[in-house]
Amino acid sequence: MAVIFDPLRGRTRPEPSHSDDEIIDVLTGAAEAVGIDTSGWAVLTGAGMSTDSGVPDYRGPDAVPRQPMTIQTFLSHPDQRARYWARSWVGWPRMRSARPNAAHLGLAQLPVAGIVTQNVDGLHQAAAREEGSRSPVIDLHGSLDRVICLKEGHMFDRDWVQIQLSELNPEFAKLVGIDPIDVETAPDGDVDLEETADFIVTDCPRCGGILKPDVVYFGDSVPPARLQEANRICAEASGIVVLGSSLAVLSGLRFVRAAAKAGKPVVIVTDGPTRGDELADYRSISRVGDFVKGWALRGIQGDDDKLQA
């Protein structure tokens, strides 16, 4: 498997540029010098947004070092696809049971210009349904609850694929000695599992093509239509807020670079270093959940309530 270079190597966590209250002043338009209301902000989210939902991140202080599968590896041999699907089959029940946390729900209460998420867990959409949010959500890297046929583009529900894999591999969990309830999943929904050679993979029932989760693997490209919509949201926004992303992947960093180049304010909130720190006008190192709860509370109650608190 290919070694993934860590673009954050050598970077250290910066000092906060302002207090969270000062940054929230900017986000809610309370800072007269900026005067931008909540609806003007595009929001880019990363794995740090979902850690409080039990979904681990890639690069946080408690993250386990791992080498995600690349698209080249997935396509290289049937054994590699068996390896992926075995690990995904074990991890899916726990990933499926994840629920939106306070950060997802708080953000869904704010009428932002749009949310572009690098996460594949579907928790922003679940929060939007719960809160009745109308802000658009773009799954930049796809979603684990969909499976695509690489031959003809047929789409399937992930739960249906799970049933097929379970029927083909009724004794697999027992053979490898794993209880799916107790496993630790990765941000992309699979688990560390070495004994996968005996796992049987299902192909597309319509054309026999290779089935792949509808997510963007390392080394893969974001579909053009999806990227175009994300670009539109960020280009029309007055500024960008990054929540829980290290911006290690260029597909997310590009939006921050574009905003900075256009002279738009850049806000970054995450407790570790990012590739965009030198571009940030406002930098918080607070936990994402705490920051978003404060932002949502101010956005709902207004500045008068903040002063009375």
Side-chain angles (χ1 to χ4, degrees), residues 18 20 23 44 50 59 119 133 160 174 184 209 217 255 259 278 283 303:
H18 302 74
D20 285 356
I23 297 174
L44 175 69
S50 295
R59 298 175 177 88
N119 300 336
S133 172
W160 178 86
K174 185 184 299 184
E184 181 71 23
Y217 281 7
F255 300 111
E278 64 276 9
R283 183 66 163 91
D303 198 53

Side-chain angles (χ1 to χ4, degrees), residues 13-129:
R13 184 173 73 165
E15 294 297 318
S17 65
H18 302 74
S19 71
D20 285 356
D21 277 343
E22 290 172 322
I23 297 174
I24 292 172
D25 281 344
V26 174
L27 295 177
T28 57
E32 293 181 358
V34 179
I36 301 171
D37 67 17
T38 299
S39 62
W41 295 94
V43 180
L44 175 69
T45 70
M49 192 80 181
S50 295
T51 53
D52 287 346
S53 294
V55 181
D57 59 7
Y58 282 112
R59 298 175 177 88
D62 298 322
V64 177
R66 62 191 306 273
Q67 296 294 338
M69 181 170 284
T70 66
I71 186 61
Q72 293 83 1
T73 300
F74 182 82
L75 296 176
S76 66
H77 196 276
D79 287 350
Q80 294 294 347
R81 293 190 286 279
R83 179 174 180 270
Y84 171 79
W85 280 114
R87 293 157 64 111
S88 178
W89 176 79
V90 174
W92 175 245
R94 186 162 184 176
M95 179 64 74
R96 189 182 187 280
S97 69
R99 294 292 178 264
N101 61 51
H104 296 108
L105 297 171
L107 184 58
Q109 294 169 12
L110 294 166
V112 295
I115 300 168
V116 178
T117 183
Q118 297 170 286
N119 300 336
V120 295
D121 50 37
L123 295 178
H124 281 298
Q125 288 85 344
R129 290 191 295 270

Side-chain angles (χ1 to χ4, degrees), residues 38 58 63 66 70 108 126 151 169 175 188 194 202 204 227 230 232 270 273 288 303 309:
T38 299
Y58 282 112
R66 62 191 306 273
T70 66
K151 183 178 180 180
N169 301 275
L175 287 174
D188 45 9
E194 296 303 324
T202 185
C204 176
L227 181 59
R232 182 195 65 77
T270 192
V288 171
D303 198 53

Side-chain angles (χ1 to χ4, degrees), residues 110-230:
L110 294 166
V112 295
I115 300 168
V116 178
T117 183
Q118 297 170 286
N119 300 336
V120 295
D121 50 37
L123 295 178
H124 281 298
Q125 288 85 344
R129 290 191 295 270
E130 187 168 333
E131 296 295 334
S133 172
R134 295 185 178 182
S135 298
V137 178
I138 304 298
D139 290 314
L140 191 65
H141 295 160
S143 181
L144 283 171
D145 64 0
R146 303 186 303 263
V147 176
I148 187 169
C149 166
L150 297 182
K151 183 178 180 180
E152 299 289 347
H154 303 302
M155 298 293 294
F156 301 93
D157 184 81
R158 179 64 179 81
D159 285 334
W160 178 86
V161 173
Q162 186 77 3
I163 292 171
Q164 307 311 305
L165 294 174
S166 297
E167 291 177 351
L168 290 170
N169 301 275
E171 301 296 323
F172 183 76
K174 185 184 299 184
L175 287 174
V176 297
I178 278 190
D179 184 346
I181 296 177
D182 297 329
V183 296
E184 181 71 23
T185 59
D188 45 9
D190 61 354
V191 301
D192 285 327
L193 185 65
E194 296 303 324
E195 301 297 328
T196 60
D198 295 326
F199 195 81
I200 302 173
V201 174
T202 185
D203 293 323
C204 176
R206 297 183 182 178
C207 67
I210 293 172
L211 291 182
K212 169 186 168 292
D214 189 24
V215 298
V216 177
Y217 281 7
F218 282 84
D220 207 351
S221 299
V222 177
R226 191 183 303 162
L227 181 59
Q228 182 178 6
E229 180 63 10

